Amino acid sequence: MVALTDTNQKRLTTQIAEIAPNTTAIRSLDWERDRFDIEFGLQNGTTYNSFIIRGAKTALVDTSHEKFRKLYLDTLTKLINPVEIDYIVISHTEPDHSGLVKDILQLNPEITVVGSKVALQFLEDMVHQPFKKQIVKNGEVLDLGNGHELEFVSAPNLHWPDTMFTYDRQTQILYTCDAFGLHYCDEYTFDQDLGAIEADFRFYYDCLMAPNARSVLSAMKRMDELGTISTIATGHGPLLQHNVCELTGRYRTWSQTKAKAETTVAVFYVSDYGYSDRLSQSIASGITKTGVAVEMIDMRSSDLQEIQELVSRSAGIVISMPPTSANSSVKTALSTVLAAAKGKQAIGLYESGGGDDEPIDPLLSKFRDLGLSAAFPAIRIKTSPTENTYKLCEEAGTDLGQWLTRDRSIKELKAIDSNLEKALGRISSGLYIITAQKGDLTSAMLASWVSQASFIPLGLTIAVAKDRAIESLMQVGDRFVLNVLEEGNHLHLMKHFLKRFSPGADRFAGIKTQRAENGSPILTDALAYLECVVTTRMETSDHWIVYSTVDAGRVSKLEALTAVHHRKVGNYY
């Protein structure tokens, strides 16, 4: 194992590891990155993984992010002369994996680029130069010689429409790019410490793969037809070798649960235009929090029959505005959505921020004329999206999901046995406001399901509903404040935080606060506060049980009592 360091950026390094005979991993380690495409925070940095496979011919699987240009190319050229590389296998064309393809083609213009039809179309727009190419389909094989036969597995929408996996029959390694990965950076090449990575593994799945659960299951069905998979060489984080069955099993279980949802929303976006794909991912993430399934379609590379079928069975439709200069396939896809839409569906539209967006209001009027209802106000993107923009999109998605499931939620509440719910309702609790800040993002939530959980270290648990906006700010490692409300002086705070806030609204408008040492707001009128850090999370059907340790705290009135919440039934808060 060898590591090189960029002397100008101390926390960018590369790592070389022989992961199988004639197979080398080049891992670009970004130790301090705390955002990935800004839409979700990272606690433990990330990596960009690339691989060299040497048979009679040599293949390079993926490259790296352009921020690693010098480090990566220096590392690569020490391992192999670029003129000896016969193929570059493109798992998909997102810049963090294909950002240096152009550089390598300049070093060796004779390389053949291998990828899906869509990937090679996208790559042509990225490199702006002719190159040798080979389109491959699911099940096709590229023989490198010496036993290294690369079988390709179609895996669209994981998480781009051009994605494919590559399986080396000789080493039994499956190269999956984003799928089964995680944003986690440490010195270990493999996943020997499952406990250290499993929270980030789940968070990555929820952010990127959960909105594509049906596509996950389709790809895994194709994986089942391969031989034994000894290692999954991911595009981010440690490679999976010690826990392949466990972690792929979790993917399958999570995706089956998502796919069984009774309600589906179709999300249409335009890849590689403005911020369409990233914004759509944030909206989709918010929708899946409510237990509603999402299917995402790239209008640049979509099948019209698939669009028609999806729209006809979806309860909601979300569309990213395409550019006015869009090609005929995008315009035809949008026309197909309009033709298939029907009354009583929910509609949500958002601008892509590409500078050439189709106007949003005429399209919204067409859907309204068809009888569709706007689930959230049209989102207008006039500048580069910020953390708050992506949070607004997530909350808009959650509002859409809650709107679609409102009747089901009422039905489920009524189904609970009356005697049981009355007995459960006799469990009393205090009243609290959870407040959190992460970067520029802030959020708050009224909570009553709070309990001390340990003495050493001092710890507590909070039950947070999966569809609460604050949930994304309460991942492992996140910090927050638990504000304890005072009996007799709590109604104004309780009423304020019980309000239904519109997507992106400031939860603290008109509320007096001060800043805690961990950066989160303290409510000035609270009886007491505790500064906490999330340690672990346990999943239930509709809540996350968040266990946190307590770092600091203070009481403003020693003689005052905590506000108490008495319920009559146990099927609501």
Side-chain angles (χ1 to χ4, degrees), residues 387-404:
E387 291 177 316
N388 283 305
T389 309
Y390 288 109
K391 187 64 176 171
L392 182 155
C393 289
E394 182 183 291
E395 292 177 5
T398 299
D399 276 7
L400 169 57
Q402 291 174 338
W403 188 78
L404 292 174

Side-chain angles (χ1 to χ4, degrees), residues 375-386:
F376 54 80
I379 299 172
R380 303 174 193 272
I381 310 295
K382 302 304 181 187
T383 59
S384 297
T386 64

Side-chain angles (χ1 to χ4, degrees), residues 420-497:
L420 172 59
E421 68 185 30
K422 289 175 183 178
L424 190 61
R426 292 308 184 267
I427 299 176
S428 60
S429 58
L431 284 171
Y432 312 88
I433 305 292
I434 303 168
T435 55
Q437 179 159 351
K438 191 173 183 180
D440 293 332
L441 299 177
T442 59
S443 194
M445 181 189 85
L446 178 68
S448 58
W449 294 4
V450 178
S451 178
Q452 183 169 346
S454 62
F455 289 125
I456 303 175
L458 290 172
L460 53 86
T461 58
I462 304 172
V464 182
K466 290 181 176 179
D467 61 357
R468 291 301 178 95
I470 202 171
E471 184 273 333
S472 60
L473 301 184
M474 298 188 70
Q475 303 297 317
V476 172
D478 285 343
R479 299 178 183 277
F480 66 92
V481 166
L482 180 70
N483 297 269
V484 182
L485 300 189
E486 177 188 354
E487 183 66 37
N489 186 34
H490 67 285
L491 291 180
H492 65 296
L493 290 174
M494 183 176 173
K495 289 179 180 178
H496 176 84
F497 289 103

Side-chain angles (χ1 to χ4, degrees), residues 6 9 12-14 26-30 33 35-38 42 46-50 62-73 93-101 103-104 126 183 235-236 278:
D6 186 326
Q9 300 185 63
L12 297 182
T13 64
T14 57
I26 304 175
R27 303 179 69 232
S28 300
L29 280 64
D30 192 346
R33 184 164 188 173
R35 286 288 182 274
F36 196 83
D37 290 336
I38 209 170
L42 310 183
T46 192
T47 76
Y48 311 92
N49 304 331
S50 173
D62 298 324
T63 61
S64 185
H65 195 290
E66 63 180 2
K67 71 164 66 176
F68 282 89
R69 177 173 282 109
K70 186 178 187 306
L71 266 176
Y72 178 83
L73 294 176
T93 52
E94 200 172 14
D96 55 318
H97 303 290
S98 298
L100 301 179
V101 170
D103 298 80
I104 294 171
M126 292 173 59
H183 290 307
H236 295 292
R278 301 175 191 176

Side-chain angles (χ1 to χ4, degrees), residues 86-339:
D86 299 286
Y87 302 99
I88 298 178
V89 176
I90 302 296
S91 300
H92 87 142
T93 52
E94 200 172 14
D96 55 318
H97 303 290
S98 298
L100 301 179
V101 170
K102 183 175 182 178
D103 298 80
I104 294 171
L105 288 174
Q106 289 172 347
L107 294 172
N108 179 6
E110 298 304 310
I111 290 176
T112 298
V113 182
V114 180
S116 67
K117 180 180 179 180
V118 177
L120 296 182
Q121 289 173 343
F122 288 177
L123 193 64
E124 288 173 349
D125 295 333
M126 292 173 59
V127 303
H128 304 294
Q129 68 183 63
F131 57 87
K132 295 182 178 181
K133 56 191 173 186
Q134 181 176 338
I135 296 172
V136 292
K137 299 178 181 179
N138 185 69
E140 292 187 349
V141 175
L142 175 63
D143 190 352
L144 298 181
N146 300 335
H148 292 280
E149 296 178 340
L150 305 185
E151 181 176 347
F152 301 104
V153 179
S154 178
N157 301 320
L158 301 183
H159 67 114
W160 269 29
D162 59 349
T163 302
M164 71 175 188
F165 301 163
T166 303
Y167 177 67
D168 187 343
R169 294 173 176 173
Q170 171 86 336
T171 59
Q172 300 178 338
I173 297 175
L174 181 66
Y175 301 88
T176 60
C177 199
D178 285 329
F180 307 105
L182 64 153
H183 290 307
Y184 192 90
C185 182
D186 68 7
E187 69 275 17
Y188 296 111
T189 303
F190 297 103
D191 58 330
Q192 52 259 58
D193 189 348
L194 178 60
I197 67 171
E198 57 186 347
D200 291 277
F201 184 80
R202 176 59 190 267
F203 184 53
Y204 184 96
Y205 172 88
D206 286 341
C207 289
L208 289 181
M209 299 297 155
N212 303 288
R214 292 180 186 273
S215 296
V216 170
L217 294 173
S218 295
M220 295 192 74
K221 185 176 181 179
R222 296 187 184 104
M223 285 168 54
D224 292 340
E225 298 171 1
L226 302 172
T228 301
I229 299 172
S230 63
T231 301
I232 293 181
T234 60
H236 295 292
L239 315 188
L240 308 187
Q241 189 176 80
H242 302 280
N243 302 283
V244 171
C245 291
E246 171 65 25
L247 294 177
T248 55
R250 293 186 189 186
Y251 251 60
R252 194 184 302 273
T253 299
W254 296 333
S255 298
Q256 287 172 340
T257 300
K258 297 288 185 184
K260 288 178 182 176
E262 298 176 1
T263 307
T264 298
V265 172
V267 177
F268 295 92
Y269 68 102
V270 183
S271 62
D272 206 26
Y273 171 67
Y275 302 89
S276 178
D277 56 332
R278 301 175 191 176
L279 294 167
S280 67
Q281 205 75 42
S282 294
I283 292 175
S285 178
I287 295 170
T288 59
K289 281 186 172 186
T290 66
V292 171
V294 172
E295 292 192 39
M296 302 181 69
I297 297 288
D298 178 9
M299 292 188 285
R300 283 184 63 187
S301 57
S302 53
D303 177 81
L304 297 183
Q305 185 173 351
E306 180 186 4
I307 291 176
Q308 189 174 31
E309 186 274 333
L310 174 59
V311 172
S312 66
R313 61 178 170 83
S314 294
I317 303 168
V318 178
I319 300 174
S320 169
M321 298 309 297
T324 58
S325 58
N327 60 32
S328 59
S329 63
V330 173
K331 293 179 179 179
T332 303
L334 188 56
S335 296
T336 303
V337 174
L338 266 169

